[in-house]
């Protein structure tokens, strides 16, 4: 996730999310932006995680481990909780000190890998609950902010799509019907008769394009010395790929005989309810 994406996913403390606390938002924001423990490599990083282990011992009222033990515990945490960040460790320590983290872990006077593991696993469950909760609140907030597109705008957009498709067809190009928008429009409004002859032509076209695509993929795989997994996946998806190309064939056959000016005058919302 790049820096811009991270910033776009941040939740402002001032933004109102139903039933969500500022601490939960902080946890979510740290999850989005903070450096993961698996990426800790600098001297400052190592000093930070070591200082958090010292803080842990202090907060739960036990003796500070020896330097070698601190390094061992730091490596253990980095290895087994690599997707945590420094904020997670700090928050986990606070929850333990406040006795608000649901866990039966006992330290018995010493920070040990077993104790730390039990505590951090309990924190992981606590954190997951928060992440899912905040994500759900954000999604609901976004959905509430979406302004439904008007019928007039939808008709205008579809007319533009149809004009673009017809123009490509006139240039001798094959129009790629992304999302099957035109195919579903044609089928819903029964704008072309799907005869057995047309169906056979379409499936034959789909099969030829599938074989050409597969040959190209095999050649690229050999040249780049890559795994043949993608080629194998194509075989698994063969029927879907052929049908997709067959639908495109029907769309382009329709466009070939389409009177654009005539249909643009006729299009209404009823025709777009496919």
């Amino acid at each position: 996730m790049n820096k811009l994406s991270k910033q776009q996913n941040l939740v402002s403390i001032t933004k109102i999310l139903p039933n969500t606390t500022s601490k939960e938002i902080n946890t979510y924001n740290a999850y989005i932006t903070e450096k993961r423990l698996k990426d800790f490599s600098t001297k400052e990083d190592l000093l930070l995680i070591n200082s958090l282990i010292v803080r842990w011992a202090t907060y739960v009222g036990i003796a500070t481990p020896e330097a070698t033990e601190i390094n061992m515990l730091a490596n253990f945490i980095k290895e087994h909780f690599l997707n945590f960040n420094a904020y997670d460790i700090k928050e986990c320590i606070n929850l333990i000190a406040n006795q608000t983290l649901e866990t039966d872990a006992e330290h018995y006077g010493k920070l040990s890998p077993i104790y730390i593991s039990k505590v951090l696993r309990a924190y992981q469950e606590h954190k997951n609950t928060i992440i899912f909760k905040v994500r759900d609140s954000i999604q609901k907030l976004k959905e509430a902010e979406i302004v439904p597109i008007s019928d007039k705008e939808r008709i205008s957009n579809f007319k533009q799509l149809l004009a673009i498709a017809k123009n490509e067809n006139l240039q001798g190009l094959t129009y790629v019907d992304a999302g099957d928008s035109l195919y579903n429009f044609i089928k819903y409004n029964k704008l072309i008769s799907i005869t057995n002859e047309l169906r056979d032509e379409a499936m034959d076209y789909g099969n030829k394009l599938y074989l050409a695509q597969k040959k190209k993929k095999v050649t690229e795989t050999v040249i780049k010395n890559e795994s043949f997994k993608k080629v194998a996946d194509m075989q698994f998806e063969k029927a879907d790929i052929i049908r997709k190309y067959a639908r495109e064939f029907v769309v382009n056959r329709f466009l070939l005989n389409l009177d654009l000016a005539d249909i643009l005058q006729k299009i209404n919302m009823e025709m777009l309810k496919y």
Side-chain angles (χ1 to χ4, degrees):
M1 185 181 293
N2 59 39
K3 186 175 181 180
L4 178 59
S5 297
K6 287 181 177 180
Q7 289 174 341
Q8 290 173 337
N9 282 287
L10 279 175
V11 180
S12 169
I13 295 298
T14 59
K15 185 180 283 292
I16 300 173
L17 293 179
N19 304 314
T20 306
T21 67
S22 60
K23 187 174 286 290
E24 288 172 334
I25 291 175
N26 284 335
T27 300
Y28 177 81
N29 284 342
Y31 166 74
I32 295 295
T33 62
E34 291 281 322
K35 188 176 185 179
R36 302 284 197 267
L37 296 186
K38 65 181 178 181
D39 298 319
F40 273 31
S41 58
T42 67
K43 181 179 179 181
E44 290 73 20
D45 291 335
L46 300 178
L47 286 173
L48 174 58
I49 193 169
N50 284 2
S51 69
L52 289 173
I53 291 171
V54 172
R55 177 189 293 196
W56 194 330
T58 302
Y59 275 38
V60 297
I62 59 179
T64 300
E66 297 291 334
T68 54
E69 290 182 275
I70 291 176
N71 289 333
M72 179 271 292
L73 293 172
N75 289 330
F76 175 82
I77 294 172
K78 280 182 57 184
E79 181 179 350
H80 295 280
F81 299 91
L82 62 170
N83 287 317
F84 275 25
N85 53 62
Y87 180 89
D88 288 326
I89 306 300
K90 292 175 187 175
E91 182 60 15
C92 180
I93 294 169
N94 289 335
L95 292 173
I96 283 291
N98 293 328
Q99 298 183 334
T100 52
L101 182 66
E102 292 187 16
T103 177
D104 60 357
E106 295 286 348
H107 55 70
Y108 300 111
K110 182 179 180 181
L111 289 183
S112 67
I114 293 176
Y115 164 71
I116 286 176
S117 179
K118 289 188 71 172
V119 171
L120 292 182
R121 290 186 189 284
Y123 176 79
Q124 178 70 72
E125 293 184 16
H126 167 80
K127 176 183 173 180
N128 287 345
T129 300
I130 290 174
I131 300 302
F132 290 134
K133 176 183 176 180
V134 175
R135 275 180 178 167
D136 185 58
S137 295
I138 293 171
Q139 184 60 35
K140 288 178 179 177
L141 195 65
K142 287 181 178 179
E143 289 172 357
E145 292 173 348
I146 295 174
V147 178
I149 186 171
S150 68
D151 289 353
K152 182 179 179 180
E153 193 174 359
R154 186 176 175 192
I155 291 171
S156 175
N157 289 344
F158 192 81
K159 285 181 176 181
Q160 291 179 44
L161 173 67
L162 205 52
I164 291 170
K166 179 62 178 178
N167 183 55
E168 288 192 11
N169 186 264
L170 288 172
Q171 294 180 52
L173 303 172
T174 298
Y175 176 71
V176 178
D177 186 25
D180 291 328
S181 296
L182 284 190
Y183 178 81
N184 291 330
F185 169 75
I186 295 165
K187 184 178 179 182
Y188 177 77
N189 293 288
K190 300 177 181 178
L191 298 176
I192 190 171
S193 176
I194 309 294
T195 63
N196 289 335
E197 183 181 357
L198 177 58
R199 184 179 293 106
D200 290 343
E201 280 188 82
M203 292 301 289
D204 183 57
Y205 172 85
N207 189 58
K208 286 179 180 177
L209 259 66
Y210 166 78
L211 292 175
Q213 185 181 342
K214 183 178 179 182
K215 182 179 180 180
K216 180 181 178 183
K217 185 64 67 177
V218 169
T219 302
E220 289 178 352
T221 300
V222 172
I223 292 174
K224 296 179 180 179
N225 195 28
E226 296 176 340
S227 167
F228 274 81
K229 183 180 183 303
K230 290 182 179 179
V231 177
D233 288 343
M234 279 191 67
Q235 183 63 35
F236 181 74
E237 300 167 356
K238 179 179 179 179
D240 289 337
I241 294 173
I242 291 175
R243 282 195 290 267
K244 171 60 180 173
Y245 285 136
R247 292 194 294 272
E248 273 184 13
F249 179 88
V250 172
V251 168
N252 282 274
R253 176 64 62 84
F254 165 76
L255 291 170
L256 188 64
N257 302 307
L258 174 66
D259 184 335
L260 182 63
D262 179 61
I263 198 168
L264 290 181
Q265 290 181 343
K266 295 177 179 177
I267 290 178
N268 56 51
M269 271 308 298
E270 287 301 316
M271 298 177 74
L272 301 181
K273 290 184 176 179
Y274 54 86

